[in-house]
Amino acid sequence: MRILQRLLMMVVIIWIAASINFLMPRLSDRNPVEEMIAASMGESGGTMEGIEEAVADFERRFGMDRPLWVQYANTVYDAMTFDLGISISYFPDRVSTLVLQALPWTMGVMLTTTLLAFVIGTPLGALTVWPRAPKWVNAVVPIVMILAAIPFYLIGLILIYVFASRLSWLPTGKGYASGLLPDWSWTFAQSVLTHAVLPAMSILLASIGIWALSMRGMMVTVQGEDYMVFAKAKGLKGSRRFWRYGVRNAIAPQVTALVLTLANVVTGAVLVERVFSYPGLGSLLYQAILLNDYYLIFGCVYMLVLTVGFSLMVLDLVYPLIDPRIRTSVTD
Amino acid sequence: MANADYQGAIEDWGTSARRWRTVSAYLKRNPSLVVGAILLLILAAVAIGGQAFIDYRDAAPLSNRPSRPPGADYPLGTDKFGRDLLAILVYGTFLTGKVGLVAGFLGVVIGAVLGFLAGFFRGITDTLISLFTDVLLTIPPLLVLVVIATNIPGKLDTDQMAIIISLLAWRQPTRQIRAQVLIMREAGYVKTAHLGGTSRLGIVFKELMPNLIPYLMASFVLAVATAMLASVGLEALGLGPQNEPTLGMTIYWVMLEGAFTTGLWWWWSTPLIALITLFVGLYLVSAGLDELANPRTRRRGA
Amino acid sequence: MKDGGVMKGLSVTDLRVEFYTDDGIVKAVDGVDFTVRPGVRTGFVGESGSGKTTTALALMGMIEPPGRVVSGQADLDGLDILSLTEEEFRQQRLATVSYIPQGAMNSLNPVARIETQILDGMADHGHHLRGSEAADRVAELLAQVDLPPNVGRMYPHELSGGMKQRACIAISIALGPRLLIADEPTSALDVITQRRVMETLGKVQETIGSSLILIGHDMGLMAQFVDEMMVMRDGKVVEHGDVADIFGSPEHAYTRQLIDAVPSLQRKPAAAPISSPRQDRPTDTPLLELDNVGKTYRKGRSRIEALKPLSFRLDGNKPRVIAVVGQSGSGKTTLGSLVLGFETVTQGTVRFDGENILRPGKDATSRFRREVQAIFQDPYASYNPFYKVDHVLSVPLRNFGVARGREEALGHMVEACHSVGLEPAQTIHRYAHQMSGGQRQRLMVGRAIMLKPRLLVADEPVSMVDASLRSIILGNLATMKAELGASVIYITHDLATAYEVADYVLVLHKGRVVEAGVPETVIGDPRHPYTKLLVDSIPWPDPNRHWGAGGTLDEEFAAVAQADLSEPTIIRDEVAGFQLGQGWTG
């Protein structure tokens, strides 16, 4: 029942996204096909003669000469049938190929760091209001909380300056060293890892505090509950009270937030990937936007909507396990 | 019960001196609000006061000698294109602040109205508003902004930028205000006011609104912070106003020109420090307001 | 039962607990000595702030900063528990000293099954049970508190309040402690559930043979349950002795005061002076008239009949206190909300002064608002946290045009404070959270007195305040009736207080009036099985009058179920100025 609702919602969102994607470029005065052909002609040294014909030819291929409502119906139909079409800017690559190529880079860095930040930040936040927390917690937490106020990419800039530019310990950007070809060798893996350190660090530093802060708020509430007093009166060990009674009860909103964050991981990545010229979905999206490649833009959006929808579905399934009291609504 | 504020004479009941003493006593207990406000005031002083001394034209390219380090002529140096970084600090902070305040204000006003309608009237009004907000909430904001920003015909200016950002800035306030109104309308004091002969409209404005103010302020600060984050982000991607010296735009040029490797440390450190002060200030104020709105967290650190 | 150790019971000497606050040191427990003999039930009685709970927490090693145990020994069967380190104390909790918490509603971890919450406590004391062994032990413990074994697999939210509290008892006795401390274990429960929980607790204590300390402020509960009683005030022991002796001849004035604060059938207060009818407008129009009023809630597809059609007429020329008595879910609060116009009737009409309150004439609206006031259960929620408490006084003064200008308003407010014994200078500049629950409720009563209403709806006004204040507030209600000529609809779950203040009692059960009459008849000689059950469950402050005179709980429940099917409303007495009826249309 719940799943069905979610699916319906996803269809609606994809439909809205498809509509916006259809509408926006047609409202603007730029012609991407013309720009693309002009650019490629410029590169190959060809003349501007015959560009009109070339454009017309291309537009036929993309179906742009048909009546608007047919184009709209096609767009929506394709969207619903998982047909993402062909990229304009990377012609003749299929959008799905490009998206699937970029996906592992983004997921590798963003997913790992988001989860890591969650795993570190959540207990840290809980410890700030735990009476018997180690001393270092109160020294560390204010720092990570202030860092949480600063956007990822600004921290990224500082990290580049310190570790790449001044100390030269790590590369400034890109997914792997430029001389290498992607393969399963140790050298390549090493290159990928060293290139991932700074982007990962910037996300970690900026987001641990976010998790710590929200967890602290929840933990304060939980600390005041009667069951925490009873847990102590039962003579439970401190660790059990902290994890099973405290954190366990405070964590439900955190998990919701985690899922929503994971769902939005790609857009969060755009600027970080841009700062580090990282070859992920964010960079791809950025390229697509600059070149006005709406098929590619839509491909990325599509991916996002799928991630969001899928994440929410997972949340629906997981939530009853986290909180036995809630069997129905989740995101409220 | 720690403070002795409630003690004392009865003669000054309802006077303004009594009210002011209450406010100042509270501020002492909320340092994060005070520190954050001081940071923001310093920035505001620089951005507004500085305009009296610094010419806007100095922030334009080719207006000064390029790549000068900080010194007597240029206290903060100039960038590769001859922009005076002090002028960028003044006008960039001003423009970024303007976009954030305008977008945040629009967002909170729209959000407060929608949230209040949904929470107070419930029923079909609530269902429609909530559904609409929820659907839009699942759409990543930066993405929509990027799509819109790239497709705006002609050159963007900061006012248009503010309006584009406010198109999405109302979603969170709507949710927050709605949730709060839903709780508050059931509160016991609404009944007391009813019994005291207060009208329906009076209950909204005299009983509910004052309690909403901390939430509205917190929402506003949050909306401003989110709006600034979005605007600086768009600018840093090169999608902002091309002809105005915003802080985000400066970051865009820093990244494009690789200012880190060229040794022009003053080029990137000025906008970076301004932005960090701005975001940390907003964060502290918002944390302080949160405490005001949510007295439960006052027990923190116990 | 535990082996080893000599059974000497608990002996506490010179216990002192201090709290370090901004206002200085508060001596919460100030040199307390007492003994609790093995197998004996001792009651710690006192009002909030008397130190009774702090004493118990000290015995649990659970005084948190800014509090500190300054001195004292607590010898439990040869072990001085106050000299233990934190970790040593932890091992003693549950194993030797067990705690049954207040607030049964929230004392269980909401995300863990009951069996988990039984077993984790045992595991942290070295008893790791698994598989069928664990299941057997859980079932055994649940059986001891009369819960079926499948409760072990349930989560707290699936249990009723009484069941949760019994589950807490099962948890606390898992390791057979030598001392059980029950901290107001039934404070949130109605009298019938309270009786069941206390019966369970008593049985369990006898089974495991432990000593028991019952903390509370309800002298009635003490009389019914404990062997010895220790009265505390301001951190000191006022009186300690056998419960029958203390009730028979209390030595200390404070103890007498506490006993007198509890309403009792033996001591019905002298009938209030028949006050002269209000002179302003003697009339034939009844003050309040309920004409076949009913309320049905719809929840999804199911319909819940919160209040079945009810008619009565309160003429108002002769002020009356009408008590509406029932458990939660009986429809009593719904009735109050309907009279106040906070909820709309789904059938029938509520008329105030002849006008339908839902469709009143122009000046009838403001007259209705002005002349009908209310006091609610939770005094804290009644105050807007944005304003200081003067707001609740000044707003109606202004809205109703009672006072012109600041001076006159202040005068009325001072008077309101004085009428309920509050010091104005220490009251009106406070926020509600700076006052105690009792002060908040007294000010609400003062507000009602200040506005001189003709009808007052008092919905559980004393269920959240201390016993001594209880009688003061009830006295204020009587004053309103006697001196201001106000009629009162007194809504309560507590038959005893109804007995004290009411002229007429309606017993509500499942939305229906099951029995009505003057308090002496209804409470002194109940006829309907449900009323009998309620009366039987009142903890009378008399060690010689025991719970369950009318049979065991199970027998009484069966009788009520039978009566629900067939028994009509039992109406016995008449009282001038109030008629219970079958609907009017005039």
Side-chain angles (χ1 to χ4, degrees), chain C residues 306-338:
Chain C
L307 186 67
K308 295 188 175 142
L310 170 68
S311 298
F312 68 70
R313 187 182 274 177
L314 181 61
D315 77 21
N317 291 333
K318 206 180 257 303
R320 291 290 171 215
V321 176
I322 310 300
V324 179
V325 183
Q327 284 172 282
S328 54
S330 62
K332 61 185 196 303
T333 294
T334 303
L335 176 61
S337 296
L338 293 175

Side-chain angles (χ1 to χ4, degrees), chain B residues 1-15 18 22 187-199 205-208 210-211 213-214 298, chain C residues 22-23 340 342 369 372-374 376 381-388 390-392 394-396 399-400 406 410 413-414 424-426 428-431 434 444 447:
Chain B
M1 292 289 243
N3 64 332
D5 186 53
Y6 57 82
Q7 298 285 358
I10 194 165
E11 286 77 40
D12 65 346
W13 175 76
T15 60
R18 159 68 67 175
T22 316
Y189 58 80
V190 171
K191 284 185 187 171
T192 312
H194 216 78
L195 292 169
T198 310
S199 64
F205 286 102
K206 290 184 192 148
E207 302 287 334
L208 297 183
N211 283 296
I213 286 171
R298 276 178 211 161
Chain C
D22 294 351
D23 291 340
L340 290 169
F342 288 161
R369 273 294 155 239
V372 182
Q373 287 301 324
F376 300 108
S382 301
Y383 293 90
N384 190 333
F386 181 81
Y387 298 104
K388 294 186 175 172
D390 60 335
H391 185 74
V392 297
S394 61
V395 163
N399 284 341
F400 297 138
R406 185 179 162 278
L410 196 51
M413 288 160 64
V414 167
Q426 300 220 341
I428 63 170
H429 286 314
R430 292 201 200 187
Y431 287 99
Q434 292 171 320
M444 283 321 273
R447 174 187 179 278

